[in-house]
Amino acid sequence: TVATGRTEIAPGQLKDPYGVAIDEATHQIFITTFDKVEVFSETGEYLYQLGVGHLSKPRGIATHGDSLYVSCENDHAVKKFSLIEMFLVRRIGGRGADNGQFLFPYQLTTDL
């Protein structure tokens, strides 16, 4: 516990896991949690975190080629990450009901 009284979640521990995606090329497993994506090997070994500081209540997750897409409920957006450079490439959408906007997006998928 920290001074705020909140329990800290160590890397590799899952707080509020929601979405799961598997990269077909590397077989890495991506799991959306409370505020980030936890990444594991195909044998379940913890590898790294992705999206720390860029995700607010991530939900749906999908891979496509060298990209990872994450829907963020509180940001009302889908965020695209590069799986090569491991950084946020772009934000898609924003709060609203017009074309190109989202209201609390949960799931997503890619058309392979």
Side-chain angles (χ1 to χ4, degrees), residues 10 25 32 78 90 102-103:
T32 56
V78 172
R90 71 183 222 168
F102 302 104
L103 288 173

Side-chain angles (χ1 to χ4, degrees), residues 62-64 69 108-112:
T63 61
H64 184 74
Y69 296 86
L108 61 88
T109 187
T110 58
D111 182 8
L112 304 176

Side-chain angles (χ1 to χ4, degrees), residues 48-87:
Y48 58 92
Q49 296 176 338
L50 185 64
V52 176
H54 294 289
L55 301 174
S56 179
K57 211 166 184 184
R59 294 297 186 190
I61 188 167
T63 61
H64 184 74
D66 294 332
S67 298
L68 179 74
Y69 296 86
V70 181
S71 64
C72 295
E73 180 182 354
N74 287 352
D75 291 338
H76 307 282
V78 172
K79 300 194 178 170
K80 177 182 177 182
F81 292 87
S82 166
L83 292 176
I84 296 173
E85 290 90 13
M86 303 299 175
F87 68 88

